[in-house]
Amino acid sequence: MRTALTFLIVPVLAVLLTAQARADQLVMVEQDGCHWCAQWDKEISHIYPKTDEGARAPLRRVNLRGLPDDITFTSRPVFTPTFVLIRDGQELGRIEGYAGDEFFWFLLGRLLDAHPAQQSVTQ
């Protein structure tokens, strides 16, 4: 009985972990005192998680001065905010700066369209 249960649980866990690893993230690189980061917060931050884009690539915020080790950037971000689309810890593309909500949504749409979501192995 125990062996049969192990044969069922291990594959299910492997599928769940693989699907999780493939999920895209939108990483917002920011820093204290950034006027444009504050403007993005005011105009977008409360809406983003409720959008299709937010569901596709949930937001993760990181500080420019303390970039995480689990992300491989194609080059070190310099400007804030910089929005980086990440898959499996690798940068797919980025948006540097924030020039207003309409421009942000347009650029984000183009970035997401250029990197279609991977289908989950459970689908």
Side-chain angles (χ1 to χ4, degrees), residues 30-51:
E30 59 187 337
Q31 65 181 328
D32 292 339
C34 170
H35 167 76
W36 297 110
C37 299
Q39 192 67 27
W40 187 90
D41 282 340
K42 180 181 174 185
E43 296 176 359
I44 305 290
S45 67
H46 63 286
I47 298 168
Y48 186 80
K50 301 172 187 174
T51 64

Side-chain angles (χ1 to χ4, degrees), residues 1-38:
M1 175 77 169
R2 185 175 187 188
T3 305
L5 189 58
T6 302
F7 283 120
L8 291 174
I9 292 175
V10 171
V12 169
L13 287 175
V15 166
L16 291 174
L17 292 174
T18 301
Q20 184 73 7
R22 290 183 172 177
D24 294 345
Q25 287 184 326
L26 184 66
V27 173
M28 179 180 179
V29 180
E30 59 187 337
Q31 65 181 328
D32 292 339
C34 170
H35 167 76
W36 297 110
C37 299

Side-chain angles (χ1 to χ4, degrees), residues 36-105:
W36 297 110
C37 299
Q39 192 67 27
W40 187 90
D41 282 340
K42 180 181 174 185
E43 296 176 359
I44 305 290
S45 67
H46 63 286
I47 298 168
Y48 186 80
K50 301 172 187 174
T51 64
D52 291 341
E53 295 87 348
R56 154 89 194 278
L59 186 69
R60 176 180 174 189
R61 300 173 86 121
V62 302
N63 192 288
L64 179 66
R65 307 283 181 239
L67 296 174
D69 294 333
D70 65 330
I71 298 174
T72 302
F73 295 98
T74 56
S75 63
R76 182 173 176 78
V78 176
F79 305 104
T80 57
T82 295
F83 301 91
V84 185
L85 184 62
I86 302 293
R87 180 178 294 149
D88 296 329
Q90 302 291 316
E91 178 176 337
L92 299 177
R94 66 174 64 186
I95 302 167
E96 293 182 322
Y98 177 72
D101 61 340
E102 290 181 19
F103 200 52
F104 171 78
W105 291 117

